[in-house]
Amino acid sequence: MPIDEALNTSVFSLSGISATWENRYIFFCITFLCYTLILSVNLTLIVTVVLRRTLHEPMYIFLCNLCVNCLYGSTGFYPKFLADLLSEPHVISYAGCIIQVLVIYSSVLCDFSILTVMAYDRFVAICRPLEYYTVMTKKTVTKLIMFSWIAPVSCMSFLVVFSSALTLCGSKIEKLYCENWAIVRLSCSSKTAYNVFAYMVILTYMGHAFFILFTYMKLFKSSIRSIEDRKKVMQTCTPHLVSLVNVTVAFLFDTMYSRYGSRDFPQGLRHFMALEFLVVPPLFNPLIYGLKLRKVRNEVLRFMRSNVKF
């Protein structure tokens, strides 16, 4: 596409789902059910933590924050995708594409930040129990929550600014949703500055993952001598590690495949793998915590019993 025409591009076309209308209706019902479940399980956990005083502790406040982030990221994808399943052609405005990139990928980075904060909270609780409430004050908890949101959103905002400053020579995005690298690939100008900053962000958040693993290694090491401590570590840390592995694998696959993946992969498989981190973490994170953490599970059941009387 000539540069003059590219400068006037205000709409991107997405790859969409290549299926008959009958199959699209089936995909729509499955996706709608999945989105409904994501909203239900996350809202249930959020409302329970907010309304139950026994859960007004740093650990559960951070868990509530994780669920809010799941809702935030899901909202960036599902409404648009549901509309695309029932419409033709699959297009999105330039501004809408930029907003979708910002919401979806800042949500992924927020997952890493929140899990890092939760790992620090568990480290203080288990390794320095007598100092826990001195260290994890309301002020500290507020700062940690602000860190878990401001840093990721700022990083993604910088990346979006870099990509939006590039001159584009195309408007076709080979994905079901907008992605920053997909926009950058359409550029006919230098991508060096963007690549440098993008890899800095990737390395920073992989550093978060290594920090979490290092923290939990210390926790497991410190709990070896005591069976009680070992049970406590396993009960509270296992959900964190499952969530970390889930988010990290999905994020790395999406990032590496977008940059280096082969076009020989079947389109259906590409779509499935691209959707993994938009389906699994927001749906299973609250379920993992709700089922594994006894206190949360009991309070959720108590809350549901008290509100479903008829």
Side-chain angles (χ1 to χ4, degrees), residues 54-115:
T54 54
L55 297 179
H56 290 182
E57 298 177 18
M59 176 182 175
Y60 305 114
I61 292 171
F62 295 140
L63 172 57
C64 181
N65 197 34
L66 185 66
C67 292
V68 170
N69 183 52
C70 289
L71 294 179
Y72 166 67
S74 299
T75 304
F77 168 73
Y78 282 95
K80 169 62 179 164
F81 182 60
L82 286 168
D84 283 347
L85 285 172
L86 300 180
S87 64
E88 285 284 359
H90 303 121
V91 296
I92 186 170
S93 67
Y94 186 89
C97 190
I98 293 298
I99 291 171
Q100 189 175 58
V101 168
L102 179 61
V103 172
I104 290 176
Y105 286 93
S106 63
S107 173
V108 175
L109 299 186
C110 275
D111 271 338
F112 284 101
S113 293
I114 295 168
L115 289 172

Side-chain angles (χ1 to χ4, degrees), residues 5-236:
E5 191 178 339
L7 290 171
N8 295 320
T9 300
S10 58
V11 173
F12 290 106
S13 58
L14 304 172
S15 62
I17 293 284
S18 301
T20 62
W21 281 103
E22 288 78 8
N23 287 337
R24 285 195 188 193
Y25 292 135
I26 294 172
F27 292 148
F28 178 88
C29 292
I30 294 171
T31 305
F32 183 77
L33 176 61
C34 181
Y35 187 40
T36 303
L37 286 172
I38 288 171
L39 292 175
S40 300
V41 294
N42 283 283
L43 283 172
T44 298
L45 217 55
I46 290 168
V47 172
T48 302
V49 172
V50 170
L51 296 182
R52 295 288 171 175
R53 288 182 176 275
T54 54
L55 297 179
H56 290 182
E57 298 177 18
M59 176 182 175
Y60 305 114
I61 292 171
F62 295 140
L63 172 57
C64 181
N65 197 34
L66 185 66
C67 292
V68 170
N69 183 52
C70 289
L71 294 179
Y72 166 67
S74 299
T75 304
F77 168 73
Y78 282 95
K80 169 62 179 164
F81 182 60
L82 286 168
D84 283 347
L85 285 172
L86 300 180
S87 64
E88 285 284 359
H90 303 121
V91 296
I92 186 170
S93 67
Y94 186 89
C97 190
I98 293 298
I99 291 171
Q100 189 175 58
V101 168
L102 179 61
V103 172
I104 290 176
Y105 286 93
S106 63
S107 173
V108 175
L109 299 186
C110 275
D111 271 338
F112 284 101
S113 293
I114 295 168
L115 289 172
T116 302
V117 165
M118 293 174 81
Y120 172 72
D121 172 71
R122 290 301 84 202
F123 176 79
V124 176
I126 294 170
C127 295
R128 299 163 60 188
L130 298 178
E131 304 172 43
Y132 181 72
Y133 288 105
T134 305
V135 175
M136 299 302 292
T137 61
K138 287 184 179 180
K139 188 175 181 180
T140 302
V141 170
T142 302
K143 285 181 179 178
L144 290 172
I145 290 174
M146 289 176 66
F147 158 77
S148 66
W149 282 93
I150 293 173
V153 172
S154 298
C155 286
M156 275 314 303
S157 296
F158 278 119
L159 286 173
V160 164
V161 168
F162 270 119
S163 61
S164 61
L166 297 172
T167 302
L168 303 183
C169 292
S171 60
K172 175 68 175 176
I173 294 177
E174 296 292 337
K175 243 182 173 181
L176 296 172
Y177 54 90
C178 285
E179 176 203 45
N180 222 31
W181 179 244
I183 298 173
V184 173
R185 287 175 66 176
L186 299 174
S187 170
C188 38
S189 55
S190 174
K191 308 174 183 69
T192 304
Y194 173 86
N195 281 327
V196 169
F197 191 76
Y199 279 114
M200 286 173 60
V201 171
I202 292 170
L203 289 174
T204 297
Y205 282 90
M206 285 304 97
H208 282 47
F210 283 115
F211 172 82
I212 295 169
L213 290 174
F214 174 75
T215 301
Y216 287 145
M217 283 174 63
K218 292 199 72 173
L219 289 177
F220 287 127
K221 188 176 178 180
S222 68
S223 66
I224 289 176
R225 298 174 185 175
S226 168
I227 295 176
E228 186 179 342
D229 285 347
R230 202 178 311 146
K231 285 182 179 178
K232 187 177 180 182
V233 168
M234 291 300 294
Q235 183 185 24
T236 59

